[in-house]
Amino acid sequence: MSDAQSRLEAAADRLEIAELMYRYAWAIDKWERALLSDVFADDAEGDFSAMADYVEGDGIARGRATVIAWLRSAIEKFPDVLHFLSNPLVTLKGANAADITTYMHVLHLPMGGIYHCKAMRTAQGWRIHRLRLEERRLEAAADRLESYMKSAAE
């Protein structure tokens, strides 16, 4: 395979993997269970422990059905939620694995964070194998910025 062909295939993989993350966000916001099932590998693991302050359980789910059930129980408390993902960084790890880091912002809540994921290529296409949310509260960031700006003005 030529270098140009390799780069083209890598670019296609990165695009498919970024799309995988966008489909995940759409599926949880619109609660499209079939689409959600399609984004996770059978042996998927989700680490949502960053949300432990306001969601029941320890936030660790193993297996596609368990991850989906956990998401359902967490999301149903927040109707009409809208997740925005941006700046996906996709690092290919050989032909069949990838690391993904992407920002997440919940439109109508002062909350966002960073998703850290591992994806794997399956016979059905790319699937999320591991997903971890590193939550960021926007009030804390705004307070730090405001304090800095006040001190810089003095």
Side-chain angles (χ1 to χ4, degrees):
M1 175 183 325
S2 72
D3 186 50
Q5 183 65 29
S6 293
R7 287 195 325 262
L8 186 60
E9 287 184 15
D13 283 339
R14 284 187 182 91
L15 186 59
E16 287 178 38
I17 293 164
E19 174 75 15
L20 175 69
M21 296 304 298
Y22 300 144
R23 287 187 290 131
Y24 161 77
W26 182 268
I28 60 175
D29 289 347
K30 297 298 181 186
W31 194 249
E32 292 188 17
R33 185 173 168 72
L35 181 56
L36 197 54
S37 291
D38 285 346
V39 302
F40 286 108
D42 291 338
D43 60 348
E45 295 180 13
D47 179 352
F48 306 96
S49 55
M51 298 170 58
D53 289 347
Y54 49 89
V55 177
E56 292 178 26
D58 66 1
I60 305 296
R62 291 183 177 82
R64 178 182 15 213
T66 306
V67 170
I68 292 171
W70 188 93
L71 285 165
R72 178 63 175 172
S73 70
I75 297 291
E76 69 186 0
K77 297 170 183 73
F78 306 97
D80 302 318
V81 70
L82 294 173
H83 291 80
F84 286 83
L85 302 183
S86 66
N87 302 17
L89 299 177
V90 177
T91 304
L92 299 174
K93 302 288 188 175
N96 297 315
D99 292 339
I100 310 127
T101 305
T102 187
Y103 292 137
M104 180 273 292
H105 177 234
V106 179
L107 179 64
H108 58 285
L109 296 172
M111 179 233 176
I114 302 171
Y115 278 120
H116 302 274
C117 304
K118 296 195 178 294
M120 55 189 267
R121 188 191 309 268
T122 70
Q124 297 76 36
W126 287 97
R127 297 294 183 263
I128 298 170
H129 181 61
R130 285 186 173 63
L131 183 141
R132 179 176 62 86
L133 172 62
E134 175 189 336
E135 184 179 293
R136 303 279 177 95
R137 301 296 302 182
L138 302 181
E139 305 102 326
D143 290 345
R144 285 192 306 272
L145 181 59
E146 190 172 315
S147 290
Y148 171 77
M149 291 169 59
K150 285 180 182 177
S151 68
E154 294 175 351

